[in-house]
Every structure is written in C-alpha cells, then in structure tokens.
C-alpha cells in the first residue's frame, strides 16, 4: 500500500523566512499530488495541485516541486507570515482507473511562524 | 451554497446506537468523498461517489458503515451499532470531477461514549 511521510510533525520558523515542507512517498508514483492547509477545527483547504509531468508550480508565495525519481514533493512558503501558521497536508492521487480521485493523505506538518 | 456543508457539527452517541451524518456538496460538483480523521492521524479515505457510477466503497472499515447519495447531490453516511473506535471527525469533500482539487466541509465530530 502507499505510504506517505511528511518530514516532521512540527516546523517553527521566523517571520519572513522561507518554510520548506517535505512529502515523501513509497511504491507507485501518483499522477497528481496536492497540498492542503488545515486550521484547527476546520476542514482542509486546497492550495496547489501538481501533475506527474510537471516539475514545479507556483501560486503567489507558494511553490511546489515534484520529483518522481526521488519520490518527493517539496512545498515552499516564501516570506512567511504568522497567518501561515497551520497544518499542511500532502495528498496523492494515483490517478489511474478505479482509484482516480481517491486521495491518500500524509499526517501533516504543523507550521508555526513566529514574529 | 458557497461551500460544502455538513450536519450535525457535533454528535455524541452511546455505543451501539446508529448515527447518520449529512453532507451537502457544492452545487454542480459531480464527485463527493467521505474521509475520517482520528486524533493525531491523517485523513483516511472511506468512500466516493462520481456521477451516476457505482460508489467506490473500498475504504469503508466495516459493514457497519454505509453511504448513499441521492439525486446526485446530498449524501448521508450511516454508521450502525457505533463503537468507541468510530469516534473521529468525519469530513466530506466535493470536486468538479475526479482528479480535481477537493473542497472540504467543516466536518462532523462524532463521539461514541
């Protein structure tokens, strides 16, 4: 079965720095990889989706990379702000046949940005 | 509606009782998903519906769990004879199509005493 590991349970950085979160997976490579943000007591909120044939995708201060050789995705938040503090989830979609749309989630990394 | 809604937001039930959890997806979204998030655990896929196709039930943990989606819109997740290990937050999500980003509701926190 697919195993997804996110680098650490918690990451603390100073405001203005770049936060880098890691998502590693085993077994098959996903067709799609997604990143979500989850605040306490709320459902996850979609941030970015990257496809297996894409190396990098950006959205404002966010950047995602996808390395199918390393079986790894990196999620970067540049110029981090205290409002970026949340849990960030990596999710994989195998994207093939009957499993298309079924997301496998990592446990998340809790990011704290301090002033 | 503006987003995915779920009801109730909290549910406390006694062991052995049946519960029904409701999800209203975003209008026009053809795919609907149910997940479970236990304390300290990642989201666990339970079931999804896509259009009029038969649902993918492969994530349901036991035959006490079932779900239906009526009219391609509202979905109900039913847990029969609840057990304490069923205590978790149950999240519903919808997407325009399979493989697209998913929009989550706020979840239903289920506590089985």
């Amino acid at each position: 079965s697919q195993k997804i590991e996110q680098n650490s349970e918690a990451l603390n950085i100073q405001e203005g720095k770049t936060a880098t979160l890691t998502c590693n997976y085993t077994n098959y490579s996903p067709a799609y990889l997604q990143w979500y943000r989850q605040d306490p007591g709320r459902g996850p909120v979609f941030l970015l989706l990257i496809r297996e044939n894409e190396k990098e995708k950006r959205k404002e201060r966010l950047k995602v990379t996808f390395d199918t050789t390393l079986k790894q995705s990196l999620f970067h938040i540049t110029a981090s702000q205290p409002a970026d503090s949340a849990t960030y989830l990596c999710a994989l979609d195998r994207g093939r046949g009957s499993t298309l749309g079924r997301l496998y989630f990592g446990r998340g990394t809790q990011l704290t940005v301090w002033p | 509606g503006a987003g995915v809604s779920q009801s109730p937001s909290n549910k406390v039930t006694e062991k052995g009782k049946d519960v029904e959890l409701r999800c209203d997806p975003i209008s026009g979204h053809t795919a609907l998903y149910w997940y479970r998030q236990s304390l300290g655990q990642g989201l666990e896929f339970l079931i999804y519906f896509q259009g009029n196709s038969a649902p993918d039930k492969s994530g349901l943990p036991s035959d006490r769990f079932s779900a239906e989606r009526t009219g391609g819109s509202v979905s109900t997740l039913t847990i029969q004879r609840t057990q304490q290990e069923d205590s978790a937050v149950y999240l519903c999500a919808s997407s325009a199509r399979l493989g697209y980003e998913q929009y989550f509701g706020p979840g239903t926190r289920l506590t089985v005493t």
Side-chain angles (χ1 to χ4, degrees):
Chain A
S1 62
Q2 185 67 284
K3 185 177 179 182
I4 303 161
E5 292 183 350
Q6 296 193 237
N7 56 327
S8 59
E9 289 188 5
L11 180 65
N12 300 308
I13 64 168
Q14 187 176 22
E15 182 176 11
K17 303 290 186 184
T18 296
T20 298
L21 286 65
T22 305
C23 176
N24 294 294
Y25 58 91
T26 60
N27 298 334
Y28 57 79
S29 280
Y32 309 96
L33 192 147
Q34 304 185 24
W35 284 88
Y36 289 79
R37 168 185 173 141
Q38 187 172 25
D39 292 282
R42 299 191 164 221
V45 174
F46 171 78
L47 296 175
L48 281 169
L49 180 154
I50 188 165
R51 294 177 170 78
E52 61 181 340
N53 61 349
E54 298 176 316
K55 294 268 191 237
E56 179 180 301
K57 185 161 283 187
R58 294 174 182 260
K59 179 182 175 183
E60 298 174 350
R61 295 184 295 111
L62 309 180
K63 184 178 84 171
V64 173
T65 63
F66 193 5
D67 189 325
T68 55
T69 301
L70 293 178
K71 296 190 174 182
Q72 181 181 81
S73 173
L74 298 179
F75 178 79
H76 306 272
I77 306 174
T78 58
S80 59
Q81 305 166 359
D84 295 327
S85 299
T87 296
Y88 291 85
L89 306 171
C90 166
L92 278 60
D93 182 345
R94 190 172 184 181
R96 290 169 178 80
S98 62
T99 63
L100 173 63
R102 178 175 178 168
L103 288 181
Y104 296 88
F105 280 86
R107 292 192 176 188
T109 296
Q110 186 172 345
L111 174 67
T112 302
V113 181
W114 45 279
Chain B
V4 177
S5 61
Q6 293 186 246
S7 60
S9 55
N10 281 284
K11 176 72 177 178
V12 180
T13 190
E14 292 180 353
K15 178 182 173 180
K17 300 280 190 183
D18 297 352
V19 295
E20 283 190 354
L21 312 180
R22 177 187 168 104
C23 172
D24 281 89
I26 292 173
S27 177
H29 279 191
T30 62
L32 186 148
Y33 315 80
W34 283 98
Y35 295 88
R36 177 169 71 174
Q37 188 170 33
S38 303
L39 191 62
Q41 303 295 314
L43 274 77
E44 174 190 6
F45 168 82
L46 297 177
I47 186 171
Y48 79 69
F49 300 85
Q50 165 61 27
N52 295 321
S53 302
D56 176 359
K57 305 179 182 181
S58 57
L60 294 178
S62 79
D63 59 8
R64 295 186 296 105
F65 288 71
S66 63
E68 63 177 17
R69 188 178 185 190
T70 54
S73 181
V74 172
S75 177
T76 302
L77 177 69
T78 301
I79 308 174
Q80 295 179 310
R81 305 181 302 282
T82 53
Q83 304 294 314
Q84 288 188 328
E85 61 263 28
D86 299 334
S87 296
V89 175
Y90 289 81
L91 290 157
C92 173
S94 70
S95 65
R97 290 180 54 181
L98 290 181
Y100 282 36
E101 64 269 24
Q102 297 183 16
Y103 294 85
F104 283 81
T108 293
R109 180 175 297 278
L110 175 65
T111 303
V112 182
T113 61

